[in-house]
Amino acid sequence: MKRIGVLTSGGDAPGMNAAIRAVVRKGNYHGVEVYGIYHGYEGFIQGKMKLLDLGSVGGIIQRGGTKLFSSRCPQFMEEAYRLQGIQKMREAGIEGLIVIGGDGSYRGAIELTKLGFHCIGVPATIDNDVPGTDFTIGFDTAINTVVNAIDNIRDTATSHENTFIIEVMGRNAGDIALWSGLAAGAETVIIPEEPYDLDEIVERLKRGESRKKKYSIIIVAEGAMPASKLAEMLKEKAGIETRITVLGHIQRGGSPTAFDRVLASRLGARAVELLLEGKTRRAVGIKNYQVYDYDLMDIMTTKHKADISLYTLSKELSI
Ligand code: F6P
């Protein structure tokens, strides 16, 4: 294989640039030309690409976002457009593709492999919800951003003796809420994977009050419910007044942490090796700190599982 492509797709994640850099540099190391495909699958369909040389990925390892831009592309659901994209790639001599993104992006890659186009997936999403890897690129940065925000909110919460509800991202997964809640010492964490008990939340708040603790931090994952709904319920149920902060897209930005840069470098480089070994329909991941690869099709049958032991621990530590 002498020429490959790389694209980023779905929600951007800090560390995507570090992964692009790794793909380009590793490709060049092995004498392979790497083309950046712009705007995700949209650019794939339209053949929007540019040769990325060594210098073009200089100075991006520390930058959040994605140099290649990203998109969510409904057209890609149609086979005719996928075939059009493959045609564009073949005309340009591109024989394989590295897809950096979440499980939605992986589904697109699977469809391409069914049409005979070689693809390797690299997991990148702040949600950490790609099955088959302990961590996705961007998750560590996102939880650090969230923890910094919670620390700031805690200052004002203690000063005014308020209860704060902080809504974090995680459409289907509670990982951001779990990890940041534990790291920031939140009193209550609500995630989509576990049922919540309003009576227990109220009791916990009251218990805090009875030992002269006048403020509380509740973290709620967006996939469980909106912060506003919980605020209404607490008010209705027990007359508890709360303040709300929805962190939103601030969680997707920022300079990637060292952990995310290292992860992105390792996974991006391994993805290039796999293409060069003639492999296709594989995804790279990390398990117990070791890089490995698995069949992309596994994501169709396996579901990401948040580490529920963190949920239990978080409850135990905030009695
Ligand atoms: O990338 C995943 C994610 O951050 C989710 O947690 C969130 O629900 C979603 O993206 C928001 O996406 P958009 O910016 O397209 O609204």
Side-chain angles (χ1 to χ4, degrees):
M1 211 173 262
K2 283 280 153 232
R3 198 172 280 172
I4 63 173
V6 58
L7 61 77
T8 49
S9 160
D12 64 318
M16 277 183 161
N17 277 326
I20 296 165
R21 173 182 177 274
V23 169
V24 171
R25 296 269 165 101
K26 182 76 172 170
N28 273 260
Y29 177 81
H30 290 290
V32 173
E33 282 184 340
V34 182
Y35 276 73
I37 317 287
Y38 286 79
H39 297 100
Y41 287 123
E42 203 180 293
F44 184 87
I45 291 171
Q46 294 162 9
K48 274 197 259 169
M49 63 179 97
K50 199 172 146 197
L51 178 65
L52 299 176
D53 60 16
L54 290 178
S56 69
V57 290
I60 65 166
I61 197 168
Q62 79 286 6
R63 280 184 12 215
T66 161
K67 175 190 166 66
L68 294 177
F69 303 95
S70 192
S71 68
R72 304 192 197 268
C73 178
Q75 271 186 332
F76 204 70
M77 309 292 280
E78 291 173 45
E79 186 175 296
Y81 286 107
R82 293 196 293 271
L83 285 168
Q84 177 185 314
I86 291 174
Q87 176 71 17
K88 298 258 183 217
M89 295 302 126
R90 295 218 163 112
E91 280 164 16
I94 293 171
E95 298 166 89
L97 180 70
I98 293 177
V99 172
I100 304 171
D103 61 349
S105 312
Y106 278 16
R107 283 170 212 275
I110 288 171
E111 293 307 317
L112 290 178
T113 63
K114 285 183 188 162
L115 297 169
F117 198 71
H118 284 212
C119 288
I120 306 290
V122 175
T125 162
I126 64 162
D127 290 357
N128 206 40
D129 62 350
V130 177
T133 186
D134 289 344
F135 296 108
T136 56
I137 297 163
F139 173 65
D140 185 62
T141 308
I143 56 174
N144 277 286
T145 302
V146 172
V147 167
N148 286 335
I150 300 172
D151 288 349
N152 288 355
I153 289 167
R154 192 180 281 281
D155 287 345
T156 177
T158 47
S159 305
H160 288 268
E161 303 183 317
N162 283 331
T163 293
F164 264 85
I165 304 174
I166 302 167
E167 182 183 311
V168 299
M169 276 187 172
R171 212 176 353 208
N172 306 309
D175 294 54
I176 295 179
L178 275 181
W179 282 71
S180 60
L182 189 57
E187 279 69 25
T188 299
V189 176
I190 301 177
I191 55 172
E193 293 86 346
E194 289 288 310
Y196 64 90
D197 177 347
L198 193 60
D199 291 326
E200 194 210 321
I201 298 171
V202 169
E203 197 193 304
R204 195 177 278 271
L205 291 172
K206 299 263 185 225
R207 213 165 41 228
E209 256 177 46
S210 70
R211 57 178 177 93
K212 307 271 180 294
K213 187 171 182 325
K214 296 262 175 55
Y215 72 93
S216 269
I217 302 283
I218 300 173
I219 310 289
V220 57
E222 63 173 345
M225 73 174 118
S228 54
K229 182 174 169 204
L230 181 60
E232 270 169 35
M233 290 195 302
L234 287 172
K235 173 104 176 133
E236 217 169 88
K237 174 109 199 157
I240 297 172
E241 289 286 349
T242 52
R243 296 282 185 280
I244 292 174
T245 302
V246 179
L247 292 181
H249 288 78
I250 194 175
Q251 296 161 92
R252 287 228 296 249
S255 177
T257 57
F259 180 88
D260 273 332
R261 297 181 201 190
V262 171
L263 182 64
S265 301
R266 293 176 77 191
L267 297 184
R270 182 66 191 130
V272 173
E273 283 175 357
L274 288 170
L275 275 184
L276 298 187
E277 286 165 15
K279 305 260 174 62
T280 182
R281 219 181 66 189
R282 308 291 294 169
V284 289
I286 187 154
K287 278 264 176 239
N288 300 322
Y289 300 100
Q290 298 303 312
V291 174
Y292 84 118
D293 59 277
Y294 57 96
D295 191 334
L296 252 187
M297 288 300 280
D298 289 357
I299 66 138
M300 309 298 276
T301 48
T302 326
K303 218 176 141 0
H304 163 76
K305 284 197 193 80
D307 184 349
I308 297 303
S309 73
L310 299 184
Y311 182 74
T312 314
L313 180 61
S314 163
K315 276 193 167 189
E316 288 169 358
L317 300 187
S318 60
I319 35 167

